[in-house]
Amino acid sequence: MKIAIMGAMIEEIEPILSALDGHPPQSDLAYILSNLKNVRLHSIAGNRYFEAKYKGHDIVVAYSKIGKVYAALTASVLVQHFKVERLLFSGVAGALNPDLKIGDLIAATKLCQHDLDITAFGHPYGYVPEGKIYIQSDEYLRMLAKEVAKEKGIDLKEGIIATGDQFVADPKRKEWIRKTFGADAIEMEGAAVAVVCDAFDVPFFVLRSISDAADMDAAFDFDEFLKHSSRRSADFIISMVEKLIG
Ligand code: ADE
């Protein structure tokens, strides 16, 4: 089975790359690119894709850059060009649900676009004709995630993830998104991946580790916890890949 692992920032994909490539953890992209050992680099339409073999299976790690447009482009290339059969997203998110603390892991049950707005024409927020407000992630992959969490003694949360092209650091906007969509966490790529995978019928899974609370301190917390939370998410995703191919 060919599996994609996708992240939007170098910090999000590097722990996955180092695990697959066997190089020590590194955050300098130029260094990583010139020192890859077991991973083949492809540059397509301005994004980087890393092809690896893991326990006999083909894995493609993709670095999309931030935001819905880059995420949709990357997911489309993974599906159409690399012909991946499963897509797992790994990264960080801001917490909307007060029960979520920094470092916590949340798997998306379904995803929506909080900044999609044609309400002027009488449609609900997050909806366009022939689209859906929410897109469900794959149930089997979520079940697998629960098994991994149980085996590792990790308290994996599940919930609705809202995606938009905004880094939210504003209590009012945060509450509006929580209330309007019932969302538990917020990020900038998940729903774009969901739209693409749903359209191509590719099972997908979105995992996020909390880096901030989307409040006044969000930018500071994000910088402080990006690496740590990215690694928590990446480690979990690697365990899921092992279970998926095992
Ligand atoms: N990713 C991590 N934190 C976020 C936030 N506060 N807003 C949007 N995306 C995020």
Side-chain angles (χ1 to χ4, degrees), residues 69-131:
V69 176
Y70 285 129
L73 170 65
T74 304
S76 302
V77 169
L78 285 167
V79 173
Q80 290 281 69
H81 178 86
F82 288 99
K83 313 278 183 215
V84 303
E85 298 162 272
R86 301 285 183 280
L87 196 160
L88 313 178
F89 192 102
S90 178
V92 300
L96 301 180
N97 183 332
D99 293 342
L100 288 171
K101 305 295 175 216
I102 285 172
D104 281 357
L105 288 169
I106 175 167
T109 49
K110 54 187 186 176
L111 301 103
C112 58
Q113 298 181 62
H114 67 76
D115 58 351
L116 187 55
D117 180 356
I118 55 164
T119 53
F121 300 94
H123 295 293
Y125 285 107
Y127 178 81
V128 291
E130 298 195 43

Short mmCIF file of all heavy atoms in Angstrom, two decimals, residues 69-131:
data_model
loop_
_atom_site.label_atom_id
_atom_site.label_comp_id
_atom_site.label_asym_id
_atom_site.label_seq_id
_atom_site.Cartn_x
_atom_site.Cartn_y
_atom_site.Cartn_z
N VAL A 69 -4.65 26.52 0.00
CA VAL A 69 -4.35 26.39 -1.44
C VAL A 69 -3.16 25.46 -1.64
O VAL A 69 -3.21 24.52 -2.44
CB VAL A 69 -4.09 27.77 -2.07
CG1 VAL A 69 -3.69 27.62 -3.53
CG2 VAL A 69 -5.34 28.64 -1.96
N TYR A 70 -2.09 25.69 -0.88
CA TYR A 70 -0.91 24.81 -1.00
C TYR A 70 -1.26 23.38 -0.57
O TYR A 70 -0.75 22.41 -1.13
CB TYR A 70 0.25 25.33 -0.15
CG TYR A 70 0.94 26.54 -0.75
CD1 TYR A 70 1.16 27.68 0.01
CD2 TYR A 70 1.40 26.52 -2.07
CE1 TYR A 70 1.81 28.78 -0.53
CE2 TYR A 70 2.04 27.61 -2.61
CZ TYR A 70 2.25 28.75 -1.84
OH TYR A 70 2.88 29.82 -2.37
N ALA A 71 -2.12 23.28 0.43
CA ALA A 71 -2.49 21.94 0.91
C ALA A 71 -3.29 21.19 -0.15
O ALA A 71 -3.07 20.00 -0.38
CB ALA A 71 -3.30 22.06 2.21
N ALA A 72 -4.20 21.90 -0.82
CA ALA A 72 -5.01 21.25 -1.87
C ALA A 72 -4.12 20.86 -3.05
O ALA A 72 -4.26 19.76 -3.61
CB ALA A 72 -6.11 22.19 -2.33
N LEU A 73 -3.19 21.73 -3.40
CA LEU A 73 -2.24 21.42 -4.49
C LEU A 73 -1.45 20.15 -4.14
O LEU A 73 -1.34 19.22 -4.95
CB LEU A 73 -1.30 22.61 -4.69
CG LEU A 73 -0.09 22.40 -5.62
CD1 LEU A 73 -0.55 22.14 -7.05
CD2 LEU A 73 0.84 23.62 -5.59
N THR A 74 -0.91 20.12 -2.95
CA THR A 74 -0.07 19.00 -2.52
C THR A 74 -0.87 17.70 -2.45
O THR A 74 -0.41 16.66 -2.94
CB THR A 74 0.56 19.32 -1.15
OG1 THR A 74 1.28 20.54 -1.27
CG2 THR A 74 1.49 18.21 -0.69
N ALA A 75 -2.06 17.76 -1.87
CA ALA A 75 -2.88 16.54 -1.77
C ALA A 75 -3.23 16.04 -3.18
O ALA A 75 -3.22 14.83 -3.43
CB ALA A 75 -4.14 16.83 -0.97
N SER A 76 -3.50 16.96 -4.10
CA SER A 76 -3.85 16.56 -5.47
C SER A 76 -2.66 15.88 -6.15
O SER A 76 -2.84 14.86 -6.84
CB SER A 76 -4.27 17.78 -6.30
OG SER A 76 -5.36 18.41 -5.70
N VAL A 77 -1.46 16.42 -5.95
CA VAL A 77 -0.26 15.80 -6.54
C VAL A 77 -0.02 14.42 -5.92
O VAL A 77 0.32 13.46 -6.61
CB VAL A 77 0.97 16.73 -6.37
CG1 VAL A 77 2.26 16.01 -6.73
CG2 VAL A 77 0.81 17.98 -7.24
N LEU A 78 -0.22 14.32 -4.61
CA LEU A 78 -0.04 13.02 -3.95
C LEU A 78 -0.98 11.97 -4.54
O LEU A 78 -0.59 10.82 -4.77
CB LEU A 78 -0.27 13.15 -2.44
CG LEU A 78 0.85 13.83 -1.66
CD1 LEU A 78 0.40 14.20 -0.25
CD2 LEU A 78 2.09 12.93 -1.60
N VAL A 79 -2.19 12.38 -4.80
CA VAL A 79 -3.19 11.42 -5.31
C VAL A 79 -2.98 11.16 -6.81
O VAL A 79 -2.92 10.00 -7.23
CB VAL A 79 -4.62 11.96 -5.06
CG1 VAL A 79 -5.66 11.07 -5.74
CG2 VAL A 79 -4.90 12.04 -3.55
N GLN A 80 -2.85 12.23 -7.57
CA GLN A 80 -2.84 12.07 -9.03
C GLN A 80 -1.49 11.64 -9.58
O GLN A 80 -1.41 10.84 -10.50
CB GLN A 80 -3.22 13.40 -9.71
CG GLN A 80 -4.66 13.79 -9.54
CD GLN A 80 -5.59 13.04 -10.50
OE1 GLN A 80 -5.79 11.85 -10.38
NE2 GLN A 80 -6.15 13.74 -11.46
N HIS A 81 -0.41 12.21 -9.04
CA HIS A 81 0.93 11.90 -9.56
C HIS A 81 1.54 10.69 -8.86
O HIS A 81 2.02 9.77 -9.50
CB HIS A 81 1.84 13.13 -9.41
CG HIS A 81 3.25 12.88 -9.88
ND1 HIS A 81 3.63 13.03 -11.19
CD2 HIS A 81 4.35 12.47 -9.21
CE1 HIS A 81 4.90 12.72 -11.32
NE2 HIS A 81 5.38 12.39 -10.12
N PHE A 82 1.51 10.71 -7.52
CA PHE A 82 2.16 9.63 -6.77
C PHE A 82 1.24 8.43 -6.55
O PHE A 82 1.70 7.38 -6.11
CB PHE A 82 2.69 10.14 -5.43
CG PHE A 82 3.90 11.03 -5.56
CD1 PHE A 82 3.77 12.41 -5.52
CD2 PHE A 82 5.17 10.49 -5.76
CE1 PHE A 82 4.88 13.24 -5.65
CE2 PHE A 82 6.28 11.31 -5.89
CZ PHE A 82 6.13 12.69 -5.84
N LYS A 83 -0.04 8.61 -6.83
CA LYS A 83 -1.03 7.50 -6.71
C LYS A 83 -1.07 6.92 -5.30
O LYS A 83 -1.12 5.69 -5.12
CB LYS A 83 -0.73 6.36 -7.71
CG LYS A 83 -0.46 6.83 -9.12
CD LYS A 83 -1.74 7.09 -9.86
CE LYS A 83 -1.52 7.50 -11.31
NZ LYS A 83 -2.48 8.46 -11.81
N VAL A 84 -1.01 7.80 -4.29
CA VAL A 84 -1.08 7.28 -2.92
C VAL A 84 -2.48 6.74 -2.64
O VAL A 84 -3.47 7.23 -3.19
CB VAL A 84 -0.68 8.34 -1.86
CG1 VAL A 84 0.72 8.86 -2.14
CG2 VAL A 84 -1.69 9.48 -1.80
N GLU A 85 -2.53 5.74 -1.75
CA GLU A 85 -3.82 5.08 -1.47
C GLU A 85 -4.40 5.48 -0.12
O GLU A 85 -5.57 5.22 0.15
CB GLU A 85 -3.61 3.56 -1.54
CG GLU A 85 -3.17 3.11 -2.92
CD GLU A 85 -2.55 1.72 -2.88
OE1 GLU A 85 -1.34 1.63 -2.65
OE2 GLU A 85 -3.30 0.75 -3.03
N ARG A 86 -3.55 6.05 0.73
CA ARG A 86 -4.00 6.59 2.02
C ARG A 86 -3.23 7.89 2.24
O ARG A 86 -2.06 7.97 1.88
CB ARG A 86 -3.67 5.65 3.20
CG ARG A 86 -4.27 4.27 3.12
CD ARG A 86 -5.77 4.26 3.44
NE ARG A 86 -6.29 2.92 3.42
CZ ARG A 86 -6.64 2.24 2.31
NH1 ARG A 86 -6.49 2.79 1.11
NH2 ARG A 86 -7.13 1.01 2.39
N LEU A 87 -3.88 8.87 2.88
CA LEU A 87 -3.17 10.12 3.19
C LEU A 87 -3.33 10.43 4.68
O LEU A 87 -4.45 10.54 5.18
CB LEU A 87 -3.72 11.27 2.33
CG LEU A 87 -2.85 12.53 2.26
CD1 LEU A 87 -3.21 13.37 1.04
CD2 LEU A 87 -2.92 13.39 3.50
N LEU A 88 -2.19 10.56 5.35
CA LEU A 88 -2.20 10.91 6.78
C LEU A 88 -1.58 12.29 6.94
O LEU A 88 -0.46 12.52 6.47
CB LEU A 88 -1.37 9.90 7.59
CG LEU A 88 -1.60 8.41 7.33
CD1 LEU A 88 -0.67 7.56 8.20
CD2 LEU A 88 -3.05 8.03 7.61
N PHE A 89 -2.28 13.20 7.57
CA PHE A 89 -1.73 14.54 7.79
C PHE A 89 -1.25 14.64 9.24
O PHE A 89 -1.94 14.23 10.17
CB PHE A 89 -2.80 15.62 7.53
CG PHE A 89 -2.20 17.00 7.48
CD1 PHE A 89 -1.97 17.63 6.27
CD2 PHE A 89 -1.81 17.65 8.65
CE1 PHE A 89 -1.38 18.89 6.22
CE2 PHE A 89 -1.22 18.90 8.62
CZ PHE A 89 -1.00 19.52 7.39
N SER A 90 -0.08 15.24 9.41
CA SER A 90 0.48 15.42 10.75
C SER A 90 0.87 16.88 10.96
O SER A 90 1.49 17.50 10.09
CB SER A 90 1.73 14.54 10.89
OG SER A 90 2.31 14.72 12.16
N GLY A 91 0.51 17.44 12.12
CA GLY A 91 0.89 18.82 12.39
C GLY A 91 0.35 19.34 13.70
O GLY A 91 -0.04 18.57 14.58
N VAL A 92 0.31 20.66 13.80
CA VAL A 92 -0.13 21.30 15.04
C VAL A 92 -1.42 22.07 14.80
O VAL A 92 -1.79 22.35 13.67
CB VAL A 92 0.96 22.24 15.62
CG1 VAL A 92 2.23 21.46 15.93
CG2 VAL A 92 1.25 23.41 14.68
N ALA A 93 -2.09 22.43 15.90
CA ALA A 93 -3.35 23.17 15.80
C ALA A 93 -3.53 24.05 17.03
O ALA A 93 -2.91 23.82 18.07
CB ALA A 93 -4.53 22.20 15.70
N GLY A 94 -4.41 25.03 16.88
CA GLY A 94 -4.82 25.84 18.02
C GLY A 94 -6.05 25.20 18.65
O GLY A 94 -6.91 24.67 17.95
N ALA A 95 -6.13 25.26 19.98
CA ALA A 95 -7.27 24.66 20.69
C ALA A 95 -8.44 25.64 20.73
O ALA A 95 -8.26 26.82 21.07
CB ALA A 95 -6.86 24.28 22.10
N LEU A 96 -9.62 25.15 20.39
CA LEU A 96 -10.86 25.93 20.60
C LEU A 96 -11.60 25.38 21.82
O LEU A 96 -12.20 26.13 22.58
CB LEU A 96 -11.77 25.83 19.38
CG LEU A 96 -11.21 26.31 18.04
CD1 LEU A 96 -12.25 26.15 16.94
CD2 LEU A 96 -10.77 27.77 18.13
N ASN A 97 -11.54 24.07 21.97
CA ASN A 97 -12.17 23.40 23.11
C ASN A 97 -11.27 23.59 24.34
O ASN A 97 -10.08 23.23 24.30
CB ASN A 97 -12.31 21.90 22.76
CG ASN A 97 -13.02 21.12 23.84
OD1 ASN A 97 -12.97 21.49 25.01
ND2 ASN A 97 -13.66 20.04 23.44
N PRO A 98 -11.83 24.14 25.42
CA PRO A 98 -10.99 24.41 26.60
C PRO A 98 -10.39 23.16 27.24
O PRO A 98 -9.45 23.25 28.02
CB PRO A 98 -11.94 25.13 27.57
CG PRO A 98 -13.31 24.91 27.05
CD PRO A 98 -13.21 24.61 25.59
N ASP A 99 -10.95 21.99 26.90
CA ASP A 99 -10.39 20.74 27.46
C ASP A 99 -9.07 20.36 26.79
O ASP A 99 -8.36 19.48 27.29
CB ASP A 99 -11.37 19.57 27.26
CG ASP A 99 -12.62 19.75 28.09
OD1 ASP A 99 -12.57 20.56 29.05
OD2 ASP A 99 -13.63 19.09 27.78
N LEU A 100 -8.77 20.97 25.65
CA LEU A 100 -7.52 20.62 24.93
C LEU A 100 -6.37 21.47 25.44
O LEU A 100 -6.45 22.70 25.45
CB LEU A 100 -7.69 20.83 23.43
CG LEU A 100 -8.58 19.84 22.68
CD1 LEU A 100 -8.82 20.31 21.24
CD2 LEU A 100 -7.95 18.45 22.68
N LYS A 101 -5.29 20.79 25.84
CA LYS A 101 -4.12 21.49 26.37
C LYS A 101 -2.93 21.33 25.41
O LYS A 101 -2.93 20.42 24.58
CB LYS A 101 -3.72 20.90 27.74
CG LYS A 101 -4.86 20.90 28.76
CD LYS A 101 -5.30 22.32 29.14
CE LYS A 101 -6.51 22.32 30.07
NZ LYS A 101 -7.45 23.41 29.86
N ILE A 102 -1.95 22.19 25.58
CA ILE A 102 -0.77 22.14 24.70
C ILE A 102 -0.14 20.74 24.74
O ILE A 102 0.04 20.16 25.82
CB ILE A 102 0.23 23.25 25.07
CG1 ILE A 102 -0.34 24.58 24.54
CG2 ILE A 102 1.62 22.98 24.50
CD1 ILE A 102 0.37 25.82 24.95
N GLY A 103 0.11 20.21 23.54
CA GLY A 103 0.69 18.87 23.42
C GLY A 103 -0.35 17.79 23.19
O GLY A 103 -0.03 16.73 22.66
N ASP A 104 -1.61 18.03 23.59
CA ASP A 104 -2.66 17.02 23.39
C ASP A 104 -2.78 16.67 21.91
O ASP A 104 -2.58 17.52 21.04
CB ASP A 104 -4.03 17.54 23.86
CG ASP A 104 -4.18 17.46 25.37
OD1 ASP A 104 -3.26 16.96 26.04
OD2 ASP A 104 -5.23 17.92 25.88
N LEU A 105 -3.16 15.42 21.66
CA LEU A 105 -3.36 14.96 20.28
C LEU A 105 -4.84 14.89 19.97
O LEU A 105 -5.61 14.33 20.75
CB LEU A 105 -2.74 13.58 20.08
CG LEU A 105 -1.21 13.52 20.07
CD1 LEU A 105 -0.74 12.07 20.13
CD2 LEU A 105 -0.66 14.19 18.81
N ILE A 106 -5.23 15.45 18.84
CA ILE A 106 -6.63 15.36 18.41
C ILE A 106 -6.70 14.85 16.97
O ILE A 106 -6.01 15.36 16.08
CB ILE A 106 -7.38 16.71 18.57
CG1 ILE A 106 -8.81 16.60 17.99
CG2 ILE A 106 -6.64 17.90 17.96
CD1 ILE A 106 -9.74 17.74 18.37
N ALA A 107 -7.54 13.82 16.79
CA ALA A 107 -7.79 13.29 15.45
C ALA A 107 -9.11 13.88 14.97
O ALA A 107 -10.09 13.90 15.72
CB ALA A 107 -7.88 11.77 15.51
N ALA A 108 -9.12 14.35 13.74
CA ALA A 108 -10.35 14.95 13.20
C ALA A 108 -11.39 13.87 12.91
O ALA A 108 -11.09 12.90 12.22
CB ALA A 108 -10.05 15.73 11.93
N THR A 109 -12.60 14.06 13.45
CA THR A 109 -13.72 13.20 13.02
C THR A 109 -14.22 13.72 11.68
O THR A 109 -14.47 12.98 10.75
CB THR A 109 -14.88 13.28 14.04
OG1 THR A 109 -15.15 14.66 14.31
CG2 THR A 109 -14.51 12.56 15.32
N LYS A 110 -14.34 15.05 11.61
CA LYS A 110 -14.73 15.70 10.36
C LYS A 110 -14.13 17.09 10.35
O LYS A 110 -13.72 17.62 11.40
CB LYS A 110 -16.25 15.73 10.21
CG LYS A 110 -17.01 16.34 11.36
CD LYS A 110 -18.52 16.17 11.17
CE LYS A 110 -19.30 16.89 12.26
NZ LYS A 110 -20.75 16.84 12.06
N LEU A 111 -14.07 17.68 9.15
CA LEU A 111 -13.40 18.97 8.99
C LEU A 111 -14.28 19.93 8.20
O LEU A 111 -15.10 19.51 7.38
CB LEU A 111 -12.06 18.79 8.26
CG LEU A 111 -11.09 17.85 8.98
CD1 LEU A 111 -11.07 16.48 8.30
CD2 LEU A 111 -9.68 18.42 9.03
N CYS A 112 -14.08 21.23 8.47
CA CYS A 112 -14.86 22.25 7.76
C CYS A 112 -13.97 23.47 7.49
O CYS A 112 -12.88 23.58 8.07
CB CYS A 112 -16.06 22.67 8.60
SG CYS A 112 -15.59 23.32 10.22
N GLN A 113 -14.44 24.35 6.61
CA GLN A 113 -13.70 25.57 6.27
C GLN A 113 -14.39 26.76 6.93
O GLN A 113 -15.45 27.19 6.48
CB GLN A 113 -13.67 25.77 4.77
CG GLN A 113 -12.96 24.67 4.01
CD GLN A 113 -12.96 24.95 2.51
OE1 GLN A 113 -12.39 25.94 2.06
NE2 GLN A 113 -13.59 24.08 1.75
N HIS A 114 -13.77 27.30 7.99
CA HIS A 114 -14.44 28.37 8.74
C HIS A 114 -14.43 29.70 8.01
O HIS A 114 -15.20 30.60 8.35
CB HIS A 114 -13.83 28.51 10.15
CG HIS A 114 -12.42 29.02 10.18
ND1 HIS A 114 -12.10 30.34 9.97
CD2 HIS A 114 -11.25 28.38 10.42
CE1 HIS A 114 -10.78 30.49 10.08
NE2 HIS A 114 -10.24 29.32 10.35
N ASP A 115 -13.58 29.84 6.97
CA ASP A 115 -13.50 31.13 6.27
C ASP A 115 -14.21 31.10 4.92
O ASP A 115 -14.06 32.01 4.11
CB ASP A 115 -12.03 31.54 6.10
CG ASP A 115 -11.21 30.50 5.33
OD1 ASP A 115 -11.72 29.38 5.08
OD2 ASP A 115 -10.05 30.81 4.98
N LEU A 116 -14.98 30.05 4.67
CA LEU A 116 -15.71 29.95 3.41
C LEU A 116 -17.07 30.62 3.63
O LEU A 116 -17.88 30.14 4.43
CB LEU A 116 -15.86 28.48 3.04
CG LEU A 116 -16.45 28.13 1.67
CD1 LEU A 116 -15.69 28.80 0.55
CD2 LEU A 116 -16.43 26.62 1.47
N ASP A 117 -17.33 31.72 2.95
CA ASP A 117 -18.48 32.54 3.31
C ASP A 117 -19.21 33.10 2.09
O ASP A 117 -18.76 34.08 1.49
CB ASP A 117 -17.98 33.68 4.22
CG ASP A 117 -19.10 34.60 4.66
OD1 ASP A 117 -20.26 34.44 4.21
OD2 ASP A 117 -18.81 35.52 5.47
N ILE A 118 -20.31 32.46 1.71
CA ILE A 118 -21.21 33.08 0.72
C ILE A 118 -22.60 33.22 1.37
O ILE A 118 -23.64 32.98 0.73
CB ILE A 118 -21.24 32.33 -0.64
CG1 ILE A 118 -21.59 30.85 -0.49
CG2 ILE A 118 -19.93 32.48 -1.38
CD1 ILE A 118 -22.01 30.19 -1.84
N THR A 119 -22.57 33.62 2.64
CA THR A 119 -23.82 33.81 3.38
C THR A 119 -24.66 34.94 2.76
O THR A 119 -25.87 34.97 2.96
CB THR A 119 -23.54 34.13 4.86
OG1 THR A 119 -22.64 35.24 4.93
CG2 THR A 119 -22.92 32.95 5.59
N ALA A 120 -24.02 35.83 2.01
CA ALA A 120 -24.74 36.92 1.33
C ALA A 120 -25.81 36.36 0.40
O ALA A 120 -26.78 37.05 0.07
CB ALA A 120 -23.76 37.79 0.55
N PHE A 121 -25.64 35.09 -0.03
CA PHE A 121 -26.60 34.47 -0.95
C PHE A 121 -27.52 33.48 -0.22
O PHE A 121 -28.15 32.64 -0.85
CB PHE A 121 -25.86 33.78 -2.09
CG PHE A 121 -25.02 34.74 -2.90
CD1 PHE A 121 -23.68 34.94 -2.60
CD2 PHE A 121 -25.59 35.50 -3.91
CE1 PHE A 121 -22.92 35.85 -3.30
CE2 PHE A 121 -24.84 36.42 -4.62
CZ PHE A 121 -23.50 36.60 -4.32
N GLY A 122 -27.55 33.58 1.10
CA GLY A 122 -28.47 32.75 1.88
C GLY A 122 -27.94 31.38 2.25
O GLY A 122 -28.67 30.55 2.79
N HIS A 123 -26.66 31.11 1.96
CA HIS A 123 -26.09 29.80 2.31
C HIS A 123 -25.48 29.85 3.71
O HIS A 123 -25.04 30.90 4.16
CB HIS A 123 -25.00 29.41 1.30
CG HIS A 123 -25.54 29.19 -0.08
ND1 HIS A 123 -26.38 28.15 -0.37
CD2 HIS A 123 -25.36 29.88 -1.23
CE1 HIS A 123 -26.70 28.20 -1.67
NE2 HIS A 123 -26.10 29.25 -2.21
N PRO A 124 -25.41 28.69 4.38
CA PRO A 124 -24.75 28.69 5.69
C PRO A 124 -23.23 28.89 5.57
O PRO A 124 -22.66 28.66 4.50
CB PRO A 124 -25.06 27.29 6.25
CG PRO A 124 -25.53 26.46 5.11
CD PRO A 124 -25.96 27.37 4.01
N TYR A 125 -22.61 29.30 6.64
CA TYR A 125 -21.15 29.43 6.67
C TYR A 125 -20.51 28.09 6.32
O TYR A 125 -21.01 27.03 6.73
CB TYR A 125 -20.67 29.86 8.06
CG TYR A 125 -20.93 31.31 8.36
CD1 TYR A 125 -21.94 31.69 9.25
CD2 TYR A 125 -20.17 32.31 7.75
CE1 TYR A 125 -22.19 33.02 9.52
CE2 TYR A 125 -20.42 33.65 8.02
CZ TYR A 125 -21.43 34.00 8.90
OH TYR A 125 -21.67 35.32 9.16
N GLY A 126 -19.43 28.14 5.58
CA GLY A 126 -18.67 26.91 5.27
C GLY A 126 -19.24 26.09 4.12
O GLY A 126 -18.77 24.99 3.86
N TYR A 127 -20.24 26.65 3.44
CA TYR A 127 -20.92 25.85 2.39
C TYR A 127 -20.88 26.56 1.05
O TYR A 127 -21.06 27.77 0.97
CB TYR A 127 -22.39 25.64 2.79
CG TYR A 127 -23.19 24.88 1.76
CD1 TYR A 127 -23.13 23.49 1.68
CD2 TYR A 127 -23.99 25.57 0.84
CE1 TYR A 127 -23.86 22.80 0.72
CE2 TYR A 127 -24.72 24.88 -0.12
CZ TYR A 127 -24.65 23.50 -0.18
OH TYR A 127 -25.35 22.82 -1.13
N VAL A 128 -20.63 25.79 0.00
CA VAL A 128 -20.86 26.28 -1.38
C VAL A 128 -21.72 25.23 -2.10
O VAL A 128 -21.66 24.05 -1.75
CB VAL A 128 -19.55 26.52 -2.19
CG1 VAL A 128 -18.78 27.71 -1.63
CG2 VAL A 128 -18.69 25.28 -2.24
N PRO A 129 -22.53 25.65 -3.08
CA PRO A 129 -23.39 24.69 -3.78
C PRO A 129 -22.58 23.49 -4.30
O PRO A 129 -21.49 23.67 -4.82
CB PRO A 129 -23.97 25.51 -4.93
CG PRO A 129 -24.01 26.91 -4.38
CD PRO A 129 -22.76 27.04 -3.54
N GLU A 130 -23.14 22.33 -4.10
CA GLU A 130 -22.53 21.04 -4.47
C GLU A 130 -21.36 20.64 -3.58
O GLU A 130 -20.68 19.65 -3.84
CB GLU A 130 -22.14 20.99 -5.95
CG GLU A 130 -23.35 21.15 -6.86
CD GLU A 130 -23.10 20.74 -8.29
OE1 GLU A 130 -22.45 19.71 -8.51
OE2 GLU A 130 -23.55 21.49 -9.18
N GLY A 131 -21.08 21.44 -2.55
CA GLY A 131 -20.04 21.07 -1.58
C GLY A 131 -20.71 20.56 -0.31
O GLY A 131 -21.91 20.31 -0.27
#
